[in-house]
Amino acid sequence: MSTQNDARFDVEAYRRAIEETDADTMIAMFRDDADLEMFDKRTPPGSPAVLHGKEAIEPVVRELCGREMTHEVLTVAVDGDHVAYTERCVYPDGGMVMSNTMLDLSDGAIAHQTTVQAWDEEAHDRIETAGFESPDERQAFDHGHAEIVRLGGHNVTRLTFEPGWRWSEHRREEAGTDLCMLAHSLLVLSGTLRVRMEDGTEAEASTGRLAYIPPGHDAWVVGDETVMAIDWTGND
């Protein structure tokens, strides 16, 4: 296999940026119209996570670089305008994530990235308690936010959607898909959420109701009351 690629793309600089969690350098090496696809147990081949454009890719790269873990690029193979590498990430507790990534280059920048990843399932033999007053992660978005607590090796999320929020209006561009491709198991704490599936089926979940929502849906807040819900599906 050739070890030459487009001379304007610096493979070693990209390797250093990964290992040093240099988000600025990594983001700068994407084309403005780049695509990123990610496959794992949450987003299988039938419904991968797909991001379109550097603007959508940037917050994901920054979130990954901000995690408390070490990054090590183990192997790199270069063939013309294609770069493949294997990466190992290790959390402080020893939990490990392994990934294989293919970069397709154009004009010296990343035009398309495909990543396949897998991680250790955590073994838990002790009682754990946690609260949303100090979440492990908080994600803000237009008309709402998500607070994420990691418990028993899984994520539990408290979702808050303000009046006027709709997935197809406020999350579609970031997700890069026409519909939400994640499954959700919800307990609605307040407000009313209406869901429409791709086949046109609709249902509502109001305060105190449980709901399972499969991938391939739109959702929106009904009325003037903020929706708050607990999602224990474990989209982690």
Side-chain angles (χ1 to χ4, degrees):
M1 178 176 287
S2 169
T3 57
Q4 300 298 316
N5 76 299
D6 188 323
R8 288 168 291 176
F9 184 82
D10 191 334
V11 175
E12 286 305 311
Y14 193 70
R15 176 206 286 265
R16 289 194 302 271
I18 292 172
E19 296 189 334
E20 297 171 5
T21 61
D22 181 354
D24 289 338
T25 296
M26 293 175 66
I27 293 163
M29 299 178 86
F30 282 89
R31 286 173 54 101
D32 289 342
D33 60 351
D35 292 326
L36 185 153
E37 290 184 280
M38 187 168 293
F39 300 86
D40 54 39
K41 69 176 184 178
R42 305 161 303 176
T43 55
S47 55
V50 183
L51 300 174
H52 300 293
K54 183 188 291 189
E55 187 175 340
I57 293 170
E58 179 174 352
V60 174
V61 173
R62 293 196 183 281
E63 193 276 326
L64 289 172
C65 288
R67 292 185 183 182
E68 189 178 358
M69 59 164 62
T70 61
H71 299 256
E72 182 182 6
V73 177
L74 302 177
T75 58
V76 179
V78 181
D79 187 4
D81 283 343
H82 306 285
V83 178
Y85 63 90
T86 302
E87 182 180 354
R88 176 171 60 202
C89 305
V90 182
Y91 285 96
D93 64 3
M96 189 179 302
V97 181
M98 293 292 298
S99 64
N100 289 314
T101 297
M102 172 67 77
L103 305 178
D104 298 322
L105 309 177
S106 177
D107 297 326
I110 301 168
H112 190 278
Q113 174 177 325
T114 303
T115 296
V116 180
Q117 63 178 359
W119 53 84
D120 289 332
E121 296 292 342
E122 300 176 43
H124 292 267
D125 55 3
R126 65 185 187 276
I127 296 172
E128 294 184 52
T129 64
F132 288 106
E133 69 278 1
S134 55
D136 295 306
E137 183 181 346
R138 190 180 191 278
Q139 300 174 352
F141 47 84
D142 193 3
H143 280 67
H145 61 270
E147 298 157 301
I148 303 168
V149 170
R150 191 158 183 84
L151 189 68
H154 298 284
N155 289 341
V156 181
T157 303
R158 182 167 67 182
L159 299 165
T160 300
F161 304 129
E162 299 167 3
W165 176 87
R166 184 167 186 147
W167 190 94
S168 57
E169 295 180 11
H170 300 109
R171 301 303 303 274
R172 178 171 58 184
E173 183 175 352
E174 177 185 350
T177 56
D178 289 335
L179 297 172
C180 177
M181 300 309 298
L182 295 177
H184 303 280
S185 297
L186 301 178
L187 168 62
V188 180
L189 304 177
S190 66
T192 300
L193 187 71
R194 190 162 186 85
V195 179
R196 177 184 296 152
M197 300 302 299
E198 188 172 13
D199 65 3
T201 305
E202 293 191 15
E204 283 188 357
S206 299
T207 305
R209 300 295 292 176
L210 297 165
Y212 171 72
I213 306 171
H217 60 268
D218 191 11
W220 61 92
V221 173
V222 176
D224 297 326
E225 184 178 2
T226 296
V227 169
M228 185 177 292
I230 302 296
D231 183 357
W232 69 92
T233 310
N235 291 312
D236 49 5

